[in-house]
Amino acid sequence: MQRIAVLTSGGDAPGMNAAIRAVVRTGLGKGWETYGVRQGYSGLITDSIIPLGPRDVGGIIQQGGTMLGSARSAEFRTEEGRKQALSNLAKHGIEALVVIGGNGSQTGANVLFEMGFPVVGISSTIDNDLYGAEITIGVDTALNIALEAIDRLKVTAASHKRAFLIEVMGRDCGYLALMSGIAGGAEAVVIPEVETTPEAVAAEITAAYERGKTHAIIVVAEGAAYDAEKLNAYFREHKAKLGFDLRMTTLGHVQRGGEPTAFDRILATRLGAAATECLQNGEYGVLVGLNKGQITTTPLATVAANKKLIDMKTFELAGILAK
Ligand code: F6P
């Protein structure tokens, strides 16, 4: 191996920069030349590929986002786009690629691998919905940002005897909502994995009011069938039943923009180093991820074919603790 490249793809996640830095510096340590691809798979197609030396990745470990830029590339989903990507990699003499990203990005990595190109994936998404990794880069930071917001909203909610609907990100996965709900002491958590109705959520809030609570925090995952806006519309129509006055806050991309926590920087660094180890050992077509405290590898084909599930016991616990 002489020359490798690294890219970040999909939604940016705090800690991606730490992973880029680790890939570059451990790659250089193995005597390789290291390149970066700008704007994810789009940059492979448009030939936006730049050399990265040790100083190029200096001063980025503490920064959120990704110095390489990221994108969701529609062109890469076409056969033509992927062939162009491979041809550009060949043009630069790049022999292997590290893909830092979540579900869609690792599915793309698997396609490149199946086309015969050596690829290793690094698990990174704030959603924590990636099979093959118990916790991915960016989750801890996003969770802590959501938690800070919940804590603040609880203070103002209690002052005014209000209920707050707080919508958190996560695409189709309820992990961020569930965990921030537990850590923030929410009165109710609404996630895509568990069916509910606005009537049932309203009943939980009314019960909290009747138990003498000064506030009610309802954390709602953006992917829930009844998202915060739908619940808000229902609650407004049935205000009298609720007991509390009501407000709604959508956290959205605020969760993605933070400086990575120590946990995310260390996780990203370990995964970046593990990715170049895989390349050195000729272990291609795998995702590196953290499982039970250890860095493990899972075939990208397995990652692409499976869905990570929410732990239902943890969801039940959230309900018990809300009392
Ligand atoms: O996958 C990360 C994520 O932030 C999801 O939680 C969210 O649904 C989505 O990306 C938002 O995508 P975009 O940044 O393209 O609006």
Side-chain angles (χ1 to χ4, degrees), residues 11 72 125-127 169-171 222 253 256:
R72 306 188 199 278
T125 162
I126 66 162
D127 301 337
M169 273 191 164
R171 202 179 289 278
E222 64 173 352
H253 291 80
R256 252 174 41 192

